Amino acid sequence: MQTHQTYGMLIKRISDTFEKTANNTLREQDLTMTQAVALGKLNRTYEKQASLKELESILHVAQSTTAGIIARLEQKGLVETFGAVSDKRIKNVKLTSLGEQFCQAAEQHMVDNETKLLAGLTETEQSIFYSLLMKVNDTIR
């Protein structure tokens, strides 16, 4: 099938639009995408807390980078840090209630964006679209 735009370019354009929208929303809240990802990952951990070392592994970044991300989030009141009871050398990070509110708003924003993305498709088309995306995703892994 010959088209003026390749499939990859269309996927990239959709991805870029999602990213631009997310970045604009985050900028309004004085956050970066990396900080938002850190909050989201923390929100999905047991008791909404993890050690700095665990977050480093989850985020796939260096210890110093993780420490900087968490320090900025702590300044904004979105997380709090504290030493582990068993070993004071271990630094733990916990999502604050403000951080939880941010995560809820971010999830709603994602739902709103996906609703907008799928608005032109019927339920059947949405199901087919999802199946095809999963199939492509599995193929390229």
Side-chain angles (χ1 to χ4, degrees):
M1 177 188 298
Q2 188 73 26
T3 61
H4 292 290
Q5 294 186 17
T6 65
Y7 296 104
M9 288 304 297
L10 288 170
I11 292 168
K12 181 172 179 356
R13 184 184 302 162
I14 293 166
S15 175
D16 288 350
T17 300
F18 265 65
E19 185 175 353
K20 180 180 176 184
T21 302
N23 282 332
N24 287 340
T25 300
L26 291 170
R27 193 175 303 112
E28 292 169 6
Q29 299 173 358
D30 191 32
L31 290 172
T32 66
M33 184 67 82
T34 303
Q35 291 168 346
V37 168
L39 289 171
K41 299 285 188 183
L42 196 55
N43 191 45
R44 289 184 287 282
T45 61
Y46 177 70
E47 294 187 356
K48 302 192 187 308
Q49 70 179 38
S51 72
L52 203 56
K53 190 73 170 167
E54 290 169 328
L55 282 175
E56 175 186 333
S57 175
I58 291 169
L59 296 172
H60 306 289
V61 294
Q63 180 181 1
S64 59
T65 302
T66 304
I69 293 166
I70 297 306
R72 287 183 288 285
L73 291 173
E74 189 170 29
Q75 289 171 348
K76 295 171 186 185
L78 299 169
V79 299
E80 59 187 14
T81 60
F82 56 95
V85 175
S86 60
D87 187 344
K88 294 295 181 190
R89 295 173 296 175
I90 298 173
K91 189 174 187 178
N92 288 320
V93 182
K94 182 172 177 64
L95 205 58
T96 64
S97 59
L98 184 61
E100 287 184 54
Q101 289 173 18
F102 168 82
C103 289
Q104 289 171 352
E107 285 182 29
Q108 184 58 53
H109 182 71
M110 286 175 30
V111 168
D112 293 345
N113 275 339
E114 286 197 4
T115 299
K116 183 178 178 183
L117 170 75
L118 301 173
L121 303 176
T122 66
E123 283 189 39
T124 301
E125 289 170 334
Q126 289 178 27
S127 179
I128 293 168
F129 183 57
Y130 181 80
S131 295
L132 291 172
L133 286 174
M134 290 300 294
K135 189 172 188 175
V136 170
N137 185 59
D138 291 343
T139 301
I140 64 172
R141 283 186 166 200

